[in-house]
Amino acid sequence: MATDVFSNPREEDPLDVALFQGERRKIIQPTSLLDPKVEKLKDVLTSWINKTLTPDHIVVQSLDEDLFDGLVLHHLLARLAGVSLSVDEIAVTAAAQIHKLGVVLEEVNKRLGLTDDALAKWNVQLIHNKDLLATIHLLVTMVRHFQPDLALPPNVKVEVVLVEVTKTGIKSDIQSEDLTEESLQSPNSSSGEDPIEKLLTLDAHKILLAKTFSDGVILLLLIGQLEGFFIPLCDFHLSPANHAEMVHNVTLACDFLLDIGLNVPNIDPEDIISRDVGATLKVLYALFRRHKGKHGESAASAQK
C-alpha cells in the first residue's frame, strides 16, 4: 500500500513571539500623507535642507529616502553647529551607514539637549529604516533649535498606527500624533504673520524691555541660568560704564548663543546695544522656544 504523503503534513515551527515581545512601531496612515498640511511641512523642511546645504552642492528630493545613510544629517550638523565629526564622508555598506548615523545622532542629541535618548522620537534604526515619522520629528526639532525663526506650518498632525507585540500576540491602535505645535498667533491674526512682528505691535513696555537687555548683563545672566552654567564675573562687566564694555558683554552673550547651538540670524551686538526692540525680541524668543521645548519634554517624562 502506497504511503499517503499528504496524510501527515509537517508542522511549521511556530513563530517565537517572545523574541519580539515589547517591540513597538508607529506607522503613518497613508491617508495622512495626502493632507495638504503634511505635504507643506515636508516641502518646507526639504527647502530648508537644500538652502542650508547649497554650499555643499547637496540636493534632497525625498525626506525618507535621502537621509537614511547619514550624509545629509552629517552636513546639516556641520553647517548649523560648526561641528566636525570623524566619520567617512560616504558610507556604502549598511554597517558603515549605521555606524555613521550613530555618531551623527549622538552629537545631534547632545546639541539639542537630549541627555536621555529614550526621550527622542527618533533613533539610528528608525532613520536608517527610512521611517518618515521619525525623520520629520528629527528635522522639526533641529529647525526649532538651530533656526527658530523659520516658519513651519502650525498644528500639523498625522494619524499613526501603533503596532505592539505582547504576550498574547500583536495588537494595534490608531492614534493622532503632533508634528508641529499650534501657532502662537491669535485666531484673528493672518496665517503668515511673524510672531515677532505681532509682538512689536504691542506698545506697552517695549522700550523698557529693550533697555533692560541693552548692556548685556541681564542677557548673560539669563543665558547662564537657563543653560545651567556659571559665568565668572571677571569675564564680563557687571556694571558697564561705557559703550565698549557694553559691546564686550553683548558680544559675549552672542558667542554663548552660538556655543549652545542657538543661531539667531541677522542679529548684531550693536542692535541689542542700540535698544532695537525687534532684535532683542528675536533673541529672547529663540531662548523661549528652546527651553519651552525642553521643559515640555521633562514634564511629559515626569508624568510617565
Side-chain angles (χ1 to χ4, degrees):
M1 182 177 179
T3 303
D4 185 355
V5 295
F6 297 103
S7 61
N8 295 301
R10 183 176 63 87
E11 293 185 0
E12 295 290 338
D13 293 334
L15 178 64
D16 190 355
V17 177
L19 292 176
F20 303 93
Q21 190 172 318
E23 184 173 336
R24 304 176 69 190
R25 186 177 178 188
K26 290 180 179 180
I27 305 171
I28 299 179
Q29 287 273 57
T31 52
S32 288
L33 296 176
L34 301 177
D35 186 333
K37 285 188 175 181
V38 176
E39 292 182 343
K40 175 65 174 176
L41 177 60
K42 291 171 62 179
D43 288 343
V44 171
L45 291 173
T46 302
S47 297
W48 170 68
I49 293 173
N50 289 336
K51 182 177 180 181
T52 303
L53 299 184
T54 296
D56 299 328
H57 306 290
I58 293 177
V59 177
V60 168
Q61 295 180 330
S62 171
L63 295 182
D64 47 347
E65 292 290 337
D66 294 345
L67 276 71
F68 77 98
D69 61 356
L71 174 66
V72 172
L73 292 174
H74 180 201
H75 279 261
L76 265 181
L77 186 61
R79 287 289 170 186
L80 296 171
V83 176
S84 178
L85 299 177
S86 298
V87 292
D88 293 335
E89 175 69 11
I90 298 178
V92 179
T93 66
Q97 293 166 356
I98 290 172
H99 171 72
K100 181 172 183 175
L101 272 174
V103 174
V104 173
L105 288 182
E106 181 181 3
E107 185 65 27
V108 168
N109 290 347
K110 176 183 174 183
R111 296 281 169 167
L112 295 177
L114 295 175
T115 55
D116 186 353
D117 290 343
L119 295 178
K121 297 179 181 179
W122 57 84
N123 57 43
V124 173
Q125 181 180 0
L126 290 174
I127 301 299
H128 191 257
N129 287 343
K130 304 180 183 181
D131 187 294
L132 181 60
L133 181 63
T135 301
I136 290 178
H137 275 310
L138 170 59
L139 293 174
V140 167
T141 306
M142 290 180 70
V143 168
R144 296 303 192 204
H145 180 86
F146 292 111
Q147 198 168 343
D149 60 324
L150 180 66
L152 296 179
N155 201 27
V156 180
K157 302 175 184 291
V158 290
E159 280 193 345
V160 299
V161 180
L162 175 60
V163 181
E164 182 176 4
V165 180
T166 66
K167 291 182 179 179
T168 57
I170 299 175
K171 68 177 184 179
S172 62
D173 184 29
I174 297 179
Q175 301 176 353
S176 177
E177 183 153 341
D178 294 336
L179 297 182
T180 62
E181 68 274 19
E182 292 187 13
S183 173
L184 295 179
Q185 301 163 13
S186 66
N188 298 324
S189 63
S190 61
S191 59
E193 188 172 5
D194 188 332
I196 299 298
E197 296 299 325
K198 179 65 177 177
L199 289 171
L200 289 174
T201 65
L202 307 176
D203 292 328
H205 307 303
K206 286 197 303 185
I207 303 303
L208 178 60
L209 174 69
K211 181 179 180 180
T212 301
F213 291 92
S214 62
D215 62 5
V217 176
I218 300 299
L219 184 57
L220 283 168
L221 297 177
L222 177 63
I223 293 171
Q225 179 68 26
L226 290 174
E227 296 298 327
F229 57 77
F230 174 72
I231 304 175
L233 297 180
C234 60
D235 286 354
F236 69 101
H237 303 282
L238 190 59
S239 299
N242 53 51
H243 184 79
E245 293 182 351
M246 294 169 66
V247 170
H248 172 86
N249 284 354
V250 178
T251 300
L252 180 61
C254 291
D255 289 341
F256 277 130
L257 292 177
L258 289 176
D259 288 343
I260 63 176
L262 194 59
N263 181 25
V264 185
N266 302 322
I267 296 296
D268 187 273
E270 287 290 349
D271 296 334
I272 306 295
I273 296 168
S274 62
R275 302 178 185 178
D276 184 302
V277 179
T280 305
L281 284 176
K282 282 184 179 180
V283 172
L284 296 179
Y285 186 64
L287 284 168
F288 166 75
R289 290 292 294 274
R290 170 181 169 86
H291 288 277
K292 178 188 176 187
K294 281 187 177 181
H295 294 159
E297 290 169 354
S298 299
S301 177
Q303 291 175 358
K304 293 181 179 179

